[in-house]
Amino acid sequence: MPIADWVPHLLRKPCMRIIKDQKIVEDTWVYLADDAELPASGDVIVSTQRLHRDSAALFARSGAVGVRLKSDELPDVIGPDLARLALVAVDFPKFGDGRGYTTGRLLRERYNFKGELRAIGNVLRDQIFYMHRCGFNAFELTPGKSLESALEAFGEFSVSYQAAADDPRPLYRRRAI
């Protein structure tokens, strides 16, 4: 479900928990709709349109700023502001839409983004291992899905052959000599 469908204005997610850095944590971020009043403080996640429109006000306030990228938006739309962003949330609108994987890898490898990279939208347990390999370190699961079960996904594979954002060395470079 796209975030715009369930965020009419300012939504404080009551006690929402997410997976971050392979642990279950309370989410402190608030999604801010494009027409919502900008709070004086607190960590907010905004759309790319709001980031461009209100950039000066967003970064002048107290609190961190994050941006929400839709699946059809590439990282270059936030490139100039990327160094000032603490979080990038990448939308996965449906299970079969893999564009977010590319976005995550580009943010980590090409743009050298070091902040929180969060997968949002239709995020399922089966995808978490692969999203993590592409550089995601935080996950908002589809409502109703078990976070505890999803944590097990990180350990389902002991070896990966190909290089990725989590380890740029191919398997033959990782062998002990």
Side-chain angles (χ1 to χ4, degrees):
M1 172 184 309
I3 291 197
D5 292 348
W6 56 273
V7 182
H9 297 291
L10 172 66
L11 175 68
R12 179 78 180 157
K13 300 169 293 196
C15 300
M16 181 162 175
R17 299 181 321 150
I18 64 168
I19 295 175
K20 181 178 177 186
D21 299 325
Q22 299 187 27
K23 296 179 197 111
I24 298 173
V25 299
E26 296 295 323
D27 186 15
T28 61
W29 291 83
V30 175
Y31 287 101
L32 192 62
D34 287 346
D35 60 349
E37 185 176 329
L38 185 61
S41 63
D43 301 339
V44 295
I45 301 172
V46 298
S47 68
T48 56
Q49 293 79 17
R50 179 128 193 206
L51 177 68
H52 297 311
R53 184 186 76 209
D54 300 336
S55 182
L58 283 164
F59 292 111
R61 52 185 284 291
S62 174
V65 177
V67 70
R68 179 179 64 250
L69 283 178
K70 292 186 250 174
S71 61
D72 62 347
E73 294 178 311
L74 292 174
D76 60 346
V77 300
I78 58 171
D81 294 308
L82 197 56
R84 301 187 298 171
L85 294 171
L87 176 147
V88 176
V90 179
D91 185 34
F92 286 80
K94 58 185 178 179
F95 179 79
D97 189 340
R99 294 176 287 183
Y101 293 94
T102 302
T103 300
R105 193 146 181 200
L106 286 171
L107 282 165
R108 291 292 191 212
E109 294 177 356
R110 183 177 297 168
Y111 292 91
N112 203 27
F113 180 65
K114 300 292 184 199
E116 180 178 330
L117 185 55
R118 183 183 293 194
I120 63 172
N122 190 18
V123 178
L124 304 172
R125 179 190 192 282
D126 296 347
Q127 301 166 300
I128 288 178
F129 176 82
Y130 303 105
M131 289 175 174
H132 184 257
R133 297 229 52 226
C134 291
F136 289 90
N137 67 318
F139 309 88
E140 271 184 38
L141 266 61
T142 301
K145 301 299 180 186
S146 167
L147 293 172
E148 291 77 10
S149 172
L151 279 176
E152 297 171 6
F154 293 106
E156 289 184 335
F157 298 99
S158 60
V159 176
S160 298
Y161 294 112
Q162 52 288 80
D166 64 342
D167 191 344
R169 301 168 302 154
L171 183 62
Y172 69 90
R173 293 274 188 222
R174 291 181 257 156
R175 289 188 316 194
I177 297 177

